Structure formats: structure tokens, C-alpha cells
Amino acid sequence: MNEGWCFGDGQEYAATEGIAHLIAQRWGYQSIQEAYDDEACYWTEWEDEDDYQYAEIDGIITELFTY
């Protein structure tokens, strides 16, 4: 998972809107927007260095972009 909703500064994460909605309700909110407005969650994206791929080309380590 490299993007999604973060609840409680990392207490829970949701990759889909449906799961985020369920978490928001469990936290006592009617919707994701209500949780967001109350600063209980936010949308985020991040890169994971474990996803990076490298190759040695002409003796130089080069990052391969896969997206």
C-alpha cells in the first residue's frame, strides 16, 4: 500500500474508500469527510524504497522506474 487514508496519525490505514468509510464510522463519524474535517484522518501517498529496482549498467548502479 503506497497511498490511502491514515487515521489517528498511523493508528489505522485504509487503502480503499469503502474501508476508510467503515473506519470513520467505527471512530464515531458519519463519513470520511466528517473525520477529515475533524482532523481524525487524512489522505496520503508515499514511496517505499523497497519498491525501487536497480540495475548495474556499464558499471553504474541505476534506478529503474517501473511506473
Side-chain angles (χ1 to χ4, degrees), residues 1 4-7 9-15 19-20 23 42 44 46:
M1 178 177 151
W5 287 267
C6 176
F7 287 80
D9 290 327
Q11 291 177 357
E12 295 190 70
Y13 294 91
I19 297 299
I23 293 172
Y42 58 91
T44 187
W46 62 91

Side-chain angles (χ1 to χ4, degrees), residues 48-63:
D48 185 350
E49 289 187 16
D50 291 338
D51 291 340
Y52 296 169
Q53 294 185 12
Y54 299 89
E56 184 175 339
I57 301 172
D58 296 327
I60 300 170
I61 301 295
T62 304
E63 183 178 348

Side-chain angles (χ1 to χ4, degrees), residues 12-57:
E12 295 190 70
Y13 294 91
T16 68
E17 187 172 343
I19 297 299
H21 182 75
L22 291 173
I23 293 172
Q25 286 182 327
R26 194 172 65 237
W27 283 44
Y29 297 100
Q30 295 293 318
S31 66
I32 301 167
Q33 185 64 50
E34 186 179 325
Y36 178 84
D37 291 344
D38 197 36
E39 299 182 0
C41 74
Y42 58 91
W43 172 264
T44 187
E45 298 177 29
W46 62 91
E47 291 185 16
D48 185 350
E49 289 187 16
D50 291 338
D51 291 340
Y52 296 169
Q53 294 185 12
Y54 299 89
E56 184 175 339
I57 301 172

